[in-house]
Amino acid sequence: MQSEAVSHPNIALIKYWGNRDNELRIPANGSISMTLGGLENRMTVQFDAKFETDTLMINGKSAAPPMLERASRHLDLMRRQAGIDAGARVESVTNIPLGAGIASSAAAYAALTLAAASALGLELDQRALSRIARRGSASAARSIYGGFVELIAGDGDHSSFAKQIVPADHWQIIDLIVLVDEDIKHTGSTSGHALAASSPLQQSRIVDAPRRLKVCLKAILDRDFESLAQIVERDSDMMHAIMMTSEPPLHFWNGDTLQIMAVVRDLRAQGVSVCYTVDAGPNVHCLCLPGSEADALQALTDAGKRPWRVLRGHPGPAARVV
Amino acid sequence: MQSEAVSHPNIALIKYWGNRDNELRIPANGSISMTLGGLENRMTVQFDAKFETDTLMINGKSAAPPMLERASRHLDLMRRQAGIDAGARVESVTNIPLGAGIASSAAAYAALTLAAASALGLELDQRALSRIARRGSASAARSIYGGFVELIAGDGDHSSFAKQIVPADHWQIIDLIVLVDEDIKHTGSTSGHALAASSPLQQSRIVDAPRRLKVCLKAILDRDFESLAQIVERDSDMMHAIMMTSEPPLHFWNGDTLQIMAVVRDLRAQGVSVCYTVDAGPNVHCLCLPGSEADALQALTDAGKRPWRVLRGHPGPAARVV
């Protein structure tokens, strides 16, 4: 009973922040993302009745107890469904910087869901897999699919799932991920989501979400980069507005983050097709059209007082058993 | 018909952003400020039927046409009230950096209102003066009074005025104003206010304003610095959240701003009584108790990669004819 799966992280274009239900991870608002080829998580899961406890290795090292516990709880969902009570040996190998807001948990929980379901012999379609992945990390639901993906918020476990908008070959968008800080962030997304409702601004953000989703969806279908750029930057800034006005406040940006955001806005004003979006960390995703990639990369390189490491993503495929 | 008035800028503890009525400058929400002794505007106004047009000198130089026009429109309000149609020669001398978010227009319009009303022989009490000053710059209404001041938003010209909460000697708060950038800001407050309603988050901010005003008022009356610090930082961050999510977005912070905000939060976690607040520019007001001033100033000096100029304010008196 062993299986291996590969999945990719995703960058949210319209972001999810805050849950309607923290336990079931029912998001407070829908979200849209691009699955990121170029970065991946390769997950091996082996179930065996001989294993007294679950074990979790990440890039060859034993995971910290809270990470193992979270993975075990996720495996329990599938063990219950399969009626199997065996322990699991889990090995995750990834080229994604961990805990720095590069959606490492999205890729991990998509791959874990797929590998475990396969090892347990559960026959589940992508929608069902995305619902289970959501329980581990809501953004993981989106990484079950390739290309451009929407996570329907829904109002309960059955109505809260991801679906593909268009496959990866619909639109070639490059994601230059500028790593200004690779340290583990102070506040993980899971505890951050629980704070969202404490911001006096969150309710307005949720009420406005259907509008942003609609604008983003149309921009993707029309391959309209300028419209995409505007709504993506606005949505990112709105999420950080909620974060920094929650109780306690969460400030993820640093000076480099702000500088890159300003460089990107200036570039676009000069006709370079690039926009920024920032997840729960200081690193900046600079989305650009292939024809603007060289200009964007040059400007970002020139702007840095010290050299920043830049990862490169592009529309990637669905999570898959290998 | 000549008169001279002195007034001080003020730092908003609960900030005003966005108008219910842009023409009458009826603020969308109430605000609370501390009038800042140490910084001042000295305004001389002379009316004479011989003057064919108004003239405005700022620190010895002729003001740019848009500034003169705004001042003239303000003088018209008082000329109409006095039934006098003479031109005015206006001279403003100030030690406040102009247009860098240090409330230079608040001090200017408080002093202009007072000097012009006096020169025209209008007998107006402080409330009436604050209502006129509000038409020039809503924050100017607060600089009519000394100490800690509230601007009641009201719902029309007559109900929108400032009043004193407690005089300057109630509580000694020091304002260390760290000037990270003394350039004129790209977007003035007047045009910024008109954008506030375009942020999808502004409505939530307005609805929450009475709560923030109440918490701040109680903190001032109780001289409770920790409570003041929390609500002042949250309110400042909420205003910038609106600014950066308006259409078009306004980003006033730079890397130094963020760095100082983080230094101040760290200091307070270590027991130093200091908090930050940021107006419509990148410069940071660091409010502290006198016993924490030396520690705060030292930490801010150590943090700067280059030396920042620091202005010092403290609770100051009302605007007055001299």
Side-chain angles (χ1 to χ4, degrees):
Chain A
M1 289 166 53
Q2 172 167 342
S3 197
E4 184 177 356
V6 170
S7 85
H8 305 279
N10 62 78
I11 175 62
L13 306 173
I14 299 297
K15 296 183 189 298
Y16 138 69
W17 191 248
N19 289 316
R20 179 191 283 246
D21 181 322
N22 282 317
E23 178 60 27
L24 291 172
R25 289 190 200 262
I26 311 291
N29 65 284
S31 54
I32 291 177
S33 63
M34 180 175 99
T35 299
L36 286 178
L39 298 166
E40 65 170 42
N41 190 307
R42 185 169 288 265
M43 186 78 68
T44 311
V45 180
Q46 183 187 3
F47 289 96
D48 196 314
K50 287 186 311 193
F51 300 155
E52 291 194 3
T53 58
D54 296 334
T55 56
L56 170 60
M57 303 286 282
I58 300 176
N59 289 342
K61 289 183 194 161
S62 283
M67 293 195 89
L68 171 60
E69 197 190 319
R70 183 175 167 191
S72 280
R73 269 185 285 123
H74 193 65
L75 292 171
D76 286 345
L77 297 174
M78 286 174 280
R79 277 189 282 237
R80 255 199 309 277
Q81 204 162 334
I84 288 170
D85 193 28
R89 184 173 286 174
V90 181
E91 284 185 38
S92 164
V93 176
T94 180
N95 63 350
I96 309 168
L98 301 171
I102 316 291
S104 55
S105 64
Y109 278 89
L112 182 65
T113 302
L114 201 54
S118 165
L120 290 166
L122 293 172
E123 297 207 358
L124 300 168
D125 62 13
Q126 282 183 301
R127 178 175 295 189
L129 288 165
S130 80
R131 284 178 40 231
I132 297 174
R134 191 202 73 230
R135 302 280 295 271
S137 170
S139 53
R142 298 187 306 246
S143 278
I144 294 293
Y145 295 86
F148 295 83
V149 182
E150 179 170 3
L151 173 56
I152 312 286
D155 55 9
D157 182 48
H158 277 75
S159 56
S160 187
F161 54 82
K163 64 172 190 179
Q164 187 179 67
I165 299 168
V166 281
D169 62 5
H170 170 76
W171 199 13
Q172 186 68 3
I173 298 270
I174 307 300
D175 182 6
L176 300 173
I177 309 168
V178 186
L179 300 178
V180 300
D181 184 352
E182 300 190 41
D183 287 351
I184 303 288
K185 60 198 177 195
H186 299 298
T187 304
S189 297
T190 298
S191 44
H193 283 293
L195 296 178
S198 72
S199 165
L201 307 181
Q202 169 75 343
Q203 198 48 42
S204 284
R205 180 180 159 276
I206 299 301
V207 167
D208 183 62
R211 179 190 69 86
R212 300 195 302 281
L213 289 163
K214 192 174 161 192
V215 171
C216 183
L217 189 65
K218 180 167 168 29
I220 292 169
L221 294 176
D222 295 349
R223 300 186 190 89
D224 174 351
F225 190 84
E226 184 55 34
S227 294
L228 184 81
Q230 284 182 27
I231 198 71
V232 163
E233 290 187 356
R234 201 63 40 84
D235 186 80
S236 173
D237 291 346
M238 282 175 76
M239 181 178 74
H240 287 270
I242 302 308
M243 291 165 159
M244 71 190 192
T245 56
S246 68
E247 184 69 47
L250 300 174
H251 286 265
F252 288 107
W253 294 344
N254 66 25
D256 288 346
T257 315
L258 278 195
Q259 190 194 351
I260 294 169
M261 288 162 60
V263 165
V264 166
R265 285 192 298 267
D266 285 350
L267 280 171
R268 198 159 75 259
Q270 294 160 31
V272 180
S273 292
V274 59
C275 68
Y276 66 77
T277 184
V278 183
D279 280 344
N283 301 311
V284 186
H285 293 254
C286 300
L287 303 171
C288 58
L289 291 179
S292 288
E293 183 180 357
D295 285 344
L297 193 56
Q298 185 64 51
L300 291 166
T301 305
D302 292 347
K305 284 181 285 283
R306 56 184 181 75
W308 289 312
R309 187 154 78 101
V310 179
L311 306 176
R312 185 179 189 275
H314 51 78
R320 58 213 176 270
V321 173
V322 290
Chain B
M1 289 166 54
Q2 172 165 344
S3 197
E4 184 176 354
V6 170
S7 86
H8 305 279
N10 63 78
I11 176 62
L13 307 173
I14 300 296
K15 297 184 189 296
Y16 138 68
W17 190 249
N19 289 315
R20 179 191 281 245
D21 181 324
N22 282 317
E23 177 59 28
L24 291 172
R25 288 189 201 263
I26 312 291
N29 65 283
S31 53
I32 290 178
S33 63
M34 181 175 99
T35 300
L36 287 177
L39 297 166
E40 63 170 43
N41 191 307
R42 186 168 289 264
M43 187 77 68
T44 310
V45 180
Q46 182 188 2
F47 290 96
D48 196 313
K50 285 186 312 195
F51 301 155
E52 291 193 4
T53 58
D54 296 333
T55 55
L56 170 59
M57 303 286 282
I58 300 176
N59 290 341
K61 289 184 197 161
S62 282
M67 294 194 89
L68 171 60
E69 196 191 320
R70 182 174 167 192
S72 280
R73 269 186 284 123
H74 193 65
L75 292 171
D76 287 344
L77 297 175
M78 286 174 280
R79 276 188 282 237
R80 256 199 308 277
Q81 204 160 336
I84 288 170
D85 192 29
R89 183 174 288 175
V90 181
E91 284 185 37
S92 164
V93 176
T94 180
N95 63 350
I96 309 168
L98 302 172
I102 316 290
S104 54
S105 64
Y109 279 90
L112 182 64
T113 302
L114 202 55
S118 165
L120 290 167
L122 293 172
E123 297 206 358
L124 300 168
D125 61 13
Q126 282 183 301
R127 178 174 296 188
L129 288 165
S130 80
R131 284 177 41 231
I132 297 174
R134 191 201 73 232
R135 303 281 294 272
S137 168
S139 54
R142 299 187 306 246
S143 278
I144 293 292
Y145 295 86
F148 296 83
V149 181
E150 179 170 3
L151 173 56
I152 313 284
D155 55 9
D157 183 49
H158 276 76
S159 56
S160 187
F161 54 82
K163 63 172 190 180
Q164 187 179 65
I165 299 168
V166 282
D169 63 4
H170 170 76
W171 200 11
Q172 187 68 3
I173 299 269
I174 307 300
D175 183 7
L176 301 173
I177 310 168
V178 186
L179 300 179
V180 300
D181 184 352
E182 299 189 41
D183 286 351
I184 302 288
K185 59 198 178 195
H186 299 298
T187 304
S189 297
T190 298
S191 44
H193 283 294
L195 295 179
S198 72
S199 165
L201 307 180
Q202 168 76 342
Q203 197 49 41
S204 284
R205 180 180 159 277
I206 299 301
V207 167
D208 183 62
R211 180 191 69 84
R212 300 194 305 281
L213 289 162
K214 193 174 161 190
V215 170
C216 183
L217 190 65
K218 181 167 169 24
I220 291 169
L221 294 175
D222 294 349
R223 299 187 191 88
D224 175 351
F225 189 84
E226 185 55 34
S227 295
L228 184 80
Q230 284 181 28
I231 198 70
V232 163
E233 290 187 357
R234 202 63 40 83
D235 185 80
S236 173
D237 291 346
M238 282 175 77
M239 182 179 74
H240 287 270
I242 302 309
M243 291 165 160
M244 71 191 192
T245 57
S246 68
E247 185 67 48
L250 301 174
H251 286 264
F252 288 108
W253 295 344
N254 66 25
D256 289 345
T257 314
L258 278 195
Q259 191 195 351
I260 294 168
M261 288 163 59
V263 165
V264 166
R265 284 192 298 267
D266 285 350
L267 280 171
R268 199 159 74 257
Q270 294 160 33
V272 180
S273 293
V274 59
C275 68
Y276 66 76
T277 184
V278 183
D279 280 344
N283 301 311
V284 186
H285 294 254
C286 300
L287 303 171
C288 57
L289 290 179
S292 288
E293 183 180 356
D295 285 346
L297 193 56
Q298 185 65 52
L300 290 167
T301 306
D302 293 347
K305 285 181 284 283
R306 57 184 179 76
W308 290 312
R309 189 156 77 101
V310 179
L311 306 176
R312 185 180 188 274
H314 51 77
R320 59 212 175 271
V321 173
V322 290

